[in-house]
Amino acid sequence: MTVDSSNRPAAGATRPVAGTMITVAPTGAEVDKSAVPALPVTLDELVTTAKECREAGAAMIHVHIRGADAQPTLDLGRLKDTVHALRESTDLIVQLSTGGAVTDPFERRLAVLDAAPDGCSLTCGTVNFGDEVFMNPWPFMCELYQRTQQLGVVPEFELFDMGHIASLHRLLGKYGAPFGGHVHCDLVMGVPGGMAGDAATLVAAVAALPAGATWSATGIGRTTLPVMLAALAAGGQLRVGMEDTVTFSRGRPVTGNAELVERAAALADLAQRPAMTPDQARAMLGVPDRH
Ligand code: KMH
Ligand code: ZN
């Protein structure tokens, strides 16, 4: 694709896609296992979840890992084992989080790429994150982006706020296209401190994305369903999972990630853009098959 790196909004210029890529974000760094026992935190639980979600229609997995104490970790050995195990047991695109937890230092977040995932998240700016701050200053973004280009990791640009979209244009203008040649974004909506999780905000954000980009969207907590329905209506891809919501509907706790993927796949089917296979998603994103 051609990267339009100007700051000019490219209304209606994102790429139309026939199917729907569903990403599952099964764990995250914020949910506590003791409060939500269904949260996958061990490697076995993660692999089981990954297989179930692949069966239900997921094409990509966005991975945060936990240590033996079920707390978030960026331990490189564990990350490498996780990438290996997910590749062995599924054909999902393996995307590692470089966001980690709000307490993780920049050096460890950069080192995530040494686990050689297919893709990684790359958040395009700092954002208030509930009572915390999720730090992504410009020099960190630049270093992380250049490392993805050098190491052949496909970034997904995570956008929590409209200002992050301006920083994405700036990043592409300065360093050129990502590895794989295609720009794919993920709108993370409804975080307290970030952009609202509603249809009007989604449409405004999509209009400001670089020309030719594809995008997915996820709404945190009670914004999950409005964002999912708006994303389907606007031609986007979907991210779901217990990182983003632990309530299925009307206060009923999620029983596992697979039911969130199943619901997304059913809605995508209804929208006549059925769930993509991982290979179809690889072709869309420019992700090489490393199996
Ligand atoms: N856990 C959040 C502080 C990412 O994965 O890149 C950051 C996050 C974003 O989840
Ligand atoms: Zn994440």
Side-chain angles (χ1 to χ4, degrees):
M1 64 157 283
T2 314
V3 175
D4 179 351
S5 56
S6 72
N7 256 333
R8 182 169 34 85
T14 59
R15 187 196 280 191
V17 180
T20 301
M21 178 178 76
I22 300 174
T23 299
V24 64
T27 306
E30 285 75 36
V31 178
D32 198 352
K33 175 79 169 171
S34 59
V36 183
L39 190 77
V41 295
T42 67
L43 186 52
D44 277 356
E45 287 170 350
L46 184 64
V47 166
T48 300
T49 296
K51 287 186 192 161
E52 289 168 359
C53 290
R54 167 66 177 97
E55 197 62 31
M60 175 146 76
I61 185 163
H62 168 83
V63 180
H64 292 251
I65 61 164
R66 302 289 177 102
D69 56 359
Q71 295 305 307
T73 178
L74 292 181
D75 179 85
L76 192 54
R78 275 185 186 264
L79 285 169
K80 285 182 178 167
D81 290 348
T82 302
V83 170
H84 179 74
L86 289 170
R87 283 216 183 105
E88 286 275 292
S89 52
T90 76
D91 61 349
L92 292 167
I93 300 171
V94 180
Q95 180 193 81
L96 290 183
S97 165
T98 63
V102 290
T103 46
D104 285 323
F106 296 130
E107 270 314 315
R108 301 208 71 159
R109 291 169 58 191
L110 291 167
V112 164
L113 299 194
D114 296 336
D118 300 314
C120 70
S121 54
L122 192 162
T123 301
C124 291
T126 294
V127 64
N128 281 316
F129 195 79
D131 296 346
E132 321 270 3
V133 180
F134 177 31
M135 296 289 290
N136 296 282
W138 174 248
F140 171 71
M141 282 175 59
C142 293
E143 189 168 351
L144 178 56
Y145 187 48
Q146 290 175 90
R147 283 204 198 189
T148 63
Q149 291 172 315
Q150 287 153 9
L151 295 173
V153 177
V154 175
E156 178 177 84
F157 300 102
E158 281 205 354
L159 307 167
F160 287 69
D161 213 345
M162 294 299 279
H164 293 189
I165 302 177
S167 293
L168 169 61
H169 283 275
R170 186 179 173 206
L171 193 70
L172 298 174
K174 185 151 187 189
Y175 297 107
F179 177 78
H182 177 67
V183 175
H184 179 72
C185 306
D186 181 42
L187 304 173
V188 184
M189 310 185 71
V191 169
M195 62 186 152
D198 58 36
T201 307
L202 182 138
V203 168
V206 170
L209 295 178
T214 51
W215 56 277
S216 60
T218 184
I220 303 303
R222 65 186 59 204
T223 70
T224 295
L225 282 169
V227 168
M228 182 153 44
L229 294 169
L232 278 174
Q237 318 305 314
L238 304 178
R239 175 174 124 172
V240 296
M242 294 174 76
E243 173 168 346
D244 300 336
T245 188
V246 291
T247 302
F248 188 76
S249 112
R250 297 191 177 91
R252 197 266 277 165
V254 168
T255 57
N257 283 283
E259 73 172 354
L260 294 170
V261 176
E262 268 161 27
R263 178 172 67 182
L267 289 171
D269 225 25
L270 197 63
Q272 301 188 27
R273 285 199 299 122
M276 283 184 199
T277 64
D279 279 346
Q280 288 169 329
R282 275 190 184 85
M284 177 179 81
L285 303 177
V287 173
D289 191 347
R290 295 199 165 97
H291 282 90

